[in-house]
């Protein structure tokens, strides 16, 4: 018997199938701002949510100056944007934190079940020669 080699069609079908399945994500929304989510999709005991087909998971954390990390929100990410951005299996922060919030927030999205429980930072450190103080 010969060995089975996946073809392009098989690989494409598997990719398409993964996007058409519902996604289980870690969930925390203290202000319940996600209006329109059916309560039956949220498991408060487990801290999870069953997301609609095609959704990915996201997480938002705040990192204090002392280095402490606090979870702000987690849930389903169905916003339309660059689809490549959220197709990692792990939640990786790849964008340098914005200076608007003193660089305290970390956002990531990912495409496997419960991948948003934790995050990994992988962005270039700020260039010390590029920081010009703001003055009037």
């Amino acid at each position: 018997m010969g060995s089975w080699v996946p073809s392009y069609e098989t690989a494409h079908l598997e990719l398409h199938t993964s996007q058409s399945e519902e996604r289980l994500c870690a969930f925390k929304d203290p202000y319940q701002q996600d209006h329109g989510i059916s309560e039956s999709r949220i498991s408060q005991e487990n801290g999870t949510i069953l997301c609609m087909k095609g959704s990915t998971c996201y997480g938002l954390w705040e990192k204090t100056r002392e280095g402490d990390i606090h979870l702000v929100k987690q849930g389903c990410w169905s916003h339309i944007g660059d689809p490549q951005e959220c197709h990692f299996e792990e939640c990786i922060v790849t964008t340098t934190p914005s200076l608007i919030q003193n660089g305290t927030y970390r956002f990531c999205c990912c495409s496997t079940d419960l991948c948003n429980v934790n995050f990994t930072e992988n962005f270039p450190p700020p260039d010390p020669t590029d920081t010009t103080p703001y003055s009037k």
Side-chain angles (χ1 to χ4, degrees), residues 60-61 63 85 92-108 119-128 130-131:
L60 180 66
W61 289 265
K63 191 171 184 177
E85 196 176 290
I92 303 173
V93 178
T94 55
T95 307
T96 305
S98 168
L99 294 176
I100 294 170
Q101 295 287 342
N102 295 325
T104 57
Y105 286 99
R106 305 292 189 269
F107 172 86
C108 62
F119 73 95
T120 303
E121 291 183 342
N122 186 18
F123 52 82
D127 186 351
D130 194 32
T131 55

Side-chain angles (χ1 to χ4, degrees), residues 8-132:
Y8 168 77
E9 289 81 14
T10 307
H12 182 72
L13 178 65
E14 288 174 4
L15 178 67
H16 181 72
T17 303
S18 68
Q19 290 179 345
S20 64
E21 293 172 355
E22 292 181 323
R23 175 77 51 227
L24 184 67
C25 298
F27 179 76
K28 179 186 179 187
D29 186 357
Y31 306 108
Q32 292 293 322
Q33 292 172 327
D34 289 322
H35 304 296
I37 291 181
S38 168
E39 287 296 317
S40 64
R41 301 184 78 80
I42 299 170
S43 171
Q44 297 289 0
E45 308 83 51
N46 297 338
T48 60
I49 184 168
L50 191 60
C51 304
M52 292 187 309
K53 293 178 181 179
S55 294
T56 54
C57 302
Y58 82 93
L60 180 66
W61 289 265
E62 182 179 13
K63 191 171 184 177
T64 66
R65 289 184 182 195
E66 294 78 31
D68 296 331
I69 296 173
H70 303 285
L71 174 61
V72 179
K73 282 181 80 171
Q74 292 170 314
C76 306
W77 188 253
S78 56
H79 298 276
I80 298 170
D82 180 4
Q84 299 303 316
E85 196 176 290
C86 297
H87 281 273
F88 295 110
E89 291 186 3
E90 298 175 358
C91 217
I92 303 173
V93 178
T94 55
T95 307
T96 305
S98 168
L99 294 176
I100 294 170
Q101 295 287 342
N102 295 325
T104 57
Y105 286 99
R106 305 292 189 269
F107 172 86
C108 62
C109 53
C110 48
S111 61
T112 57
D113 286 347
L114 299 174
C115 59
N116 62 331
V117 171
N118 296 310
F119 73 95
T120 303
E121 291 183 342
N122 186 18
F123 52 82
D127 186 351
T129 60
D130 194 32
T131 55
T132 53

